[in-house]
Amino acid sequence: MIYMDNAATTMHKPQCVIDAVVRAMSSMGNAGRGANDASLSASRIIYDTRERLCRLFGGTSPKQVVFTNNSTESLNIAVRGLLKPGDHVVTTMLEHNSVLRPLYEMEKNGVRLTVVKSDEKGRVRISDMEDALCDDTKMIVCTNGSNLTGNYVDIESVGKIAKAHGVLFVVDASQTAGVFPIDVERMNIDVLCFTGHKGLLGPQGTGGLYVREGIAIRPLKSGGTGVQTYSKSQPAEMPTALEAGTLNGHGIAGLHAALGYLEETGIDAIRKQEQALMRKFYEGVKDISGVTVYGDFESEDRCAIVTLNIGEYDSGEVSDALLTDYGISTRSGGHCAPLMHEALGTVEQGAVRFSFSHYNTEEEVETAIRAVRELAQEE
């Protein structure tokens, strides 16, 4: 199988990640729940992973790194834990449902929501985001990179605007963490939400938040923490304040190994390789008769994603043909990005997304180009 669905999850993991999970499954206890070697070993791995994430994201303290199951949980914690009735929040049409659905639910509870529109290429003007701010704006929440078009959002510019206006800045880094450089201090990011199973090359069921020191988020969950057992309230100290219950220690052990791989290999090298494969594919399909490619390819800064349609073919039919006839795995349909499909005019047809990893090869890209060309000829 030629796997080109890496924006959904990176299926090919470094061998060190697999080995780390296997070792953890046979040796790791419950972190913070005992003084035995197995428990202490888990605590050390989890703390060291916080340190590696803090270093990767330019944070100030590992205790501000909170572990979750994925970006969706992280974004729900940030949105539900910071907004309250009467607040105003600004977001964009580029967002995934993991941003939109919590915001819609908060809107029902009295939060006022402004969604900044994009153009037909899925681009949002930063000036429009600033124009949407009001006296009662509490938060800007936006993606760092569109999971549908691959368009990159200049979050450093957005962060400057947020800081200048005194509003919180929450970033969805699902498509960029582990691939693009992120510095929460320089970019004025208050809450960074990330997942472990995509560009970070870790196991599914891992993710987290980096929360700027001094920002208090209402916990989404409360329960066992291993400390302050007799308190009726969730402990206020970070990261315990936002971590209730047993962490996914086995998955975090894999994420720890993945971060070591990224440090050794270099995210810049990985990004350049992925972007080269993406560009090769884009150049090979963009001029094929009947093929429509979506997104902005004028900018060098973009995620390694090419999304397209072939004539009037339903995107699901195209994706099925790619898998059945060519052994190529892609993603079709709505991609959990309903507003972006509205902007692109693809609500009914959906779209076929090719997303690349540094584990893909030029030969695989050439096969994918040939597949699109042959399917377009059949249309």
Side-chain angles (χ1 to χ4, degrees), residues 242-316:
L242 301 178
E243 291 179 348
T246 296
L247 296 175
N248 178 11
H250 304 141
I252 293 170
L255 182 59
H256 178 269
L259 291 164
Y261 173 85
L262 290 175
E263 288 178 357
E264 182 178 348
T265 307
I267 66 171
D268 291 341
I270 289 174
R271 183 177 67 259
K272 288 175 182 177
Q273 188 174 347
E274 292 178 352
Q275 288 177 334
L277 294 170
M278 174 267 295
R279 287 285 174 186
K280 180 179 177 68
F281 180 74
Y282 170 71
E283 293 296 333
V285 302
K286 67 182 179 68
D287 295 323
I288 297 174
S289 178
V291 171
T292 302
V293 179
Y294 304 98
D296 176 16
F297 287 83
E298 296 175 6
S299 172
E300 289 298 317
D301 281 332
R302 57 173 290 106
C303 301
I305 290 171
V306 179
T307 300
L308 56 80
N309 274 317
I310 299 176
E312 299 300 319
Y313 274 171
D314 179 80
S315 62

Side-chain angles (χ1 to χ4, degrees), residues 49 89 117 152 197 231 297 355:
T49 308
V89 58
K117 296 185 180 300
Y152 180 85
H197 69 101
S231 171
F297 287 83
S355 49

Side-chain angles (χ1 to χ4, degrees), residues 86-161:
D87 288 337
H88 175 238
V89 58
V90 174
T91 192
T92 78
M93 291 187 77
L94 279 62
E95 308 310 318
H96 189 278
N97 273 334
S98 55
V99 171
L100 295 174
R101 284 176 173 165
L103 288 177
Y104 292 150
E105 292 182 21
M106 295 302 291
E107 190 177 26
K108 291 179 182 178
N109 294 329
V111 169
R112 193 163 61 86
L113 173 63
T114 297
V115 179
V116 177
K117 296 185 180 300
S118 74
D119 64 15
E120 70 283 354
K121 289 191 175 182
R123 297 172 297 196
V124 172
R125 285 194 295 266
I126 304 300
S127 59
D128 289 348
M129 298 177 72
E130 185 169 24
D131 291 343
L133 300 178
C134 305
D135 290 341
D136 60 348
T137 303
K138 177 70 174 291
M139 175 193 297
I140 298 173
V141 53
C142 74
T143 185
N144 190 190
S146 168
N147 75 305
L148 178 55
T149 65
N151 289 355
Y152 180 85
V153 177
D154 180 8
I155 55 171
E156 185 168 359
S157 294
V158 181
K160 290 178 181 177
I161 291 170

Side-chain angles (χ1 to χ4, degrees), residues 68-76 98 172-175 193-198 206-208:
T68 65
N69 289 321
N70 43 52
S71 286
T72 298
E73 185 177 1
S74 300
L75 287 159
N76 270 267
S98 55
D172 175 7
S174 299
Q175 296 297 330
C193 301
F194 60 91
T195 196
H197 69 101
K198 299 187 183 187
T206 61

Side-chain angles (χ1 to χ4, degrees), residues 219-224 233-234 244-245:
L220 184 66
K221 301 180 293 183
S222 59
S233 302
Q234 186 74 5

